[in-house]
Amino acid sequence: MAKPRDERRRLFADPAFRTEMGRQTGFVAGLAPSWDRLVLRLAGRPEVRRWQEMSVAEIAAARGMTPLDTLADLVLEDDLRTQWGVVLMNYDEPAVADLLRHPAGLLALSDAGAHVDTLCDQGFTTYLLGHWVRELGALSLAHAVRLLTAVPAARYGLRNRGRLAPGAAADVVLFDPARVGMRPTEMVHDLPHGERRLLQRAEGIVTVLVNGTPVVENGEPTSRRPGRILRGGI
């Protein structure tokens, strides 16, 4: 990685270098435990994006190539701009479904927003509703909505939040169960000095109200900011 880009391009095209990578033991090419857990997370060129969110093993099978050659070829086809992801934990979906249904479980995020150009899990709520509810049927829609609203509000002590009731804050998300989900992850350059960050947009979200004020209308964010910081017990 410390070599100039032209040198890296030459190496990825060199059969001897590919053979050297193939000798790595324990981890696939020194990157991941197995080819089915090394995933093309983000592509730079449109022609490579067709493989986004697929593992090297899946892409190799589709292209009729070895996984190692598939990885090296894709790196060159995307001019070294591809971002790869390694699935390390919670990749067993039946086991994760049990975790989601466990009464002691709480849906949340980790990392506190760090590593903004390499990690983005902000779409976990829409992914839950689209993948785990609609596609897999691991949860009922009502159960999933409760896990995203009433359960965390009660656990964190957020009074008058997380449920629709007289006197409670009018926080409402109106979505289409047939379409709700997470769009493919993308890279945007909207941080100070044009720095980059990953972004996950939602599909099927129609309207969002915060304290009774629309912050999303017809699927598009508005300029209104009626929210405030909440602390437990307030």
Side-chain angles (χ1 to χ4, degrees):
M1 292 301 296
K3 295 181 182 296
R5 293 181 67 85
D6 286 343
E7 176 66 6
R8 280 183 272 161
R9 292 187 187 96
R10 186 193 68 76
L11 284 171
F12 274 107
D14 183 358
F17 178 74
R18 296 189 183 193
T19 299
E20 181 183 345
M21 284 203 299
R23 293 196 188 103
Q24 297 280 345
T25 58
F27 275 58
V28 174
L31 297 172
S34 59
W35 291 115
D36 63 335
R37 287 165 61 183
L38 181 61
V39 179
L40 199 164
R41 291 295 308 276
L42 196 66
R45 290 180 168 172
E47 58 268 27
V48 182
R49 288 179 194 147
R50 60 179 294 203
W51 307 113
Q52 198 161 307
E53 299 299 337
M54 294 177 64
S55 71
V56 174
E58 292 172 318
I59 302 171
R63 294 173 66 140
M65 301 170 60
T66 66
L68 183 56
D69 284 328
T70 297
L71 170 69
D73 285 355
L74 284 170
V75 167
L76 292 172
E77 290 169 23
D78 209 27
D79 196 28
L80 281 69
R81 289 183 290 180
T82 313
Q83 185 180 109
W84 300 90
V86 180
V87 181
L88 293 176
M89 297 180 292
N90 293 336
Y91 54 86
D92 184 332
E93 289 196 329
V96 173
D98 288 339
L99 289 174
L100 293 174
R101 291 189 291 258
H102 196 284
L106 183 70
L107 293 176
L109 284 176
S110 62
D111 241 40
H115 317 303
V116 294
D117 66 342
T118 55
L119 181 65
C120 181
D121 295 321
Q122 68 193 85
F124 81 102
T125 53
T126 46
Y127 188 78
L128 178 82
L129 297 171
H131 182 69
W132 292 99
V133 174
R134 184 179 63 248
E135 296 175 6
L136 299 184
L139 298 167
S140 70
L141 182 59
H143 188 183
V145 169
R146 180 175 172 271
L147 290 177
L148 296 173
T149 55
V151 170
R155 186 68 54 87
Y156 296 137
L158 304 179
R159 299 174 182 172
N160 297 320
R161 303 276 172 171
R163 58 194 178 91
L164 296 177
D171 295 338
V172 182
V173 177
L174 179 64
F175 64 90
D176 181 355
R179 294 190 301 118
V180 67
M182 187 180 72
R183 293 179 184 174
T185 304
E186 58 186 293
M187 187 76 76
V188 296
H189 294 77
D190 60 358
L191 294 178
H193 302 288
E195 291 299 321
R196 67 182 190 172
R197 69 181 177 100
L198 293 173
L199 177 65
Q200 292 172 337
R201 302 181 193 271
E203 184 69 45
I205 301 295
V206 181
T207 301
V208 178
L209 303 178
V210 174
N211 293 323
T213 300
V215 296
V216 172
E217 292 183 304
N218 298 317
E220 296 297 329
T222 69
S223 60
R224 306 180 187 97
R225 298 291 183 269
R228 61 184 180 88
I229 296 175
L230 297 178
R231 292 180 173 86
I234 297 178

